[in-house]
């Protein structure tokens, strides 16, 4: 059996196939959305990082999420979250040892129970500032006070 088609029919089939594929990519991409709320391009003061994220799924409940961070130089699994409520912020402190003074990235992946995995579009950076500032009091001397107060802020 030989099937013959006109160019216009082939174009229609091709356009349909491309549009269908595009629809499937968009539908899959919007299946679950993960927002990385905190830390988000900022410095934190402790090696225990309060990672905060929100997972949204439009089709099914989220069964679990996993946190990845690159504090060792490459992204690695750090924590698993199984008690996920859709569209609700979740926070958990994760300790990253020997991280003071360095910057890192983090990201989440979530599964919505139908073998669909989603990542946040890009990793978010943060830094750990664990050093205590040194404060030296020049004036007034310890135990004394000043009656004429002119404050200069630097």
């Amino acid at each position: 059996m030989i099937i013959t088609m006109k160019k216009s029919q082939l174009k229609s089939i091709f356009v349909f196939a491309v549009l269908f594929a595009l629809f499937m990519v968009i539908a899959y991409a919007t299946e679950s959305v993960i927002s990385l709320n905190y830390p988000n391009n900022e410095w934190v003061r402790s090696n225990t990082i309060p990672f905060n994220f929100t997972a949204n799924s439009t089709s099914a409940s989220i069964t679990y999420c996993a946190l990845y961070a690159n504090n060792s130089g490459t992204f690695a699994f750090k924590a698993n979250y199984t008690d996920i409520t859709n569209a609700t912020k979740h926070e958990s402190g994760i300790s990253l040892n020997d991280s003071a003074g360095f910057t890192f990235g983090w990201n989440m992946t979530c599964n919505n129970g139908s073998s669909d995995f989603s990542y946040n579009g890009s990793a978010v950076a943060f830094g750990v500032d664990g050093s205590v500032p040194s404060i030296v009091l020049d004036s007034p001397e310890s135990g004394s006070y000043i009656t004429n107060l002119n404050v200069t802020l630097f």
Side-chain angles (χ1 to χ4, degrees):
M1 171 193 248
I2 297 176
I3 299 174
T4 58
M5 294 184 164
K6 296 180 183 178
K7 276 187 177 180
S8 61
Q9 291 173 316
L10 285 175
K11 283 183 184 178
S12 296
I13 291 172
F14 178 75
V15 168
F16 174 77
V18 168
L19 289 175
F20 181 75
L22 182 61
F23 171 77
M24 293 304 292
V25 167
I26 291 172
Y28 177 75
T30 58
E31 191 83 21
S32 297
V33 177
I34 305 166
S35 300
L36 306 178
N37 305 319
Y38 182 85
N40 191 345
N41 298 318
E42 53 203 306
W43 287 88
V44 295
R45 296 185 191 150
S46 169
N47 288 353
T48 301
I49 316 300
F51 291 103
N52 184 302
F53 68 97
T54 305
N56 295 292
S57 178
T58 57
S59 65
S61 62
I62 298 166
T63 55
Y64 73 89
C65 292
L67 176 118
Y68 292 84
N70 71 344
N71 65 311
S72 61
T74 58
F75 277 90
F77 172 81
K78 298 297 176 188
N80 191 33
Y81 304 89
T82 56
D83 189 21
I84 302 296
T85 303
N86 192 37
T88 302
K89 288 183 179 181
H90 297 276
E91 183 173 309
S92 180
I94 305 296
S95 181
L96 301 179
N97 296 329
D98 300 325
S99 57
F102 296 100
T103 57
F104 305 103
W106 73 288
N107 206 339
M108 298 292 299
T109 180
C110 293
N111 179 287
N112 67 4
S114 60
S115 71
D116 293 330
F117 288 88
S118 295
Y119 285 88
N120 184 58
S122 61
V124 174
F126 68 96
V128 178
D129 183 5
S131 59
V132 177
S134 174
I135 300 173
V136 177
L137 181 61
D138 293 329
S139 175
E141 292 182 21
S142 180
S144 63
Y145 61 93
I146 298 175
T147 58
N148 183 7
L149 183 61
N150 290 321
V151 177
T152 304
L153 300 176
F154 297 95

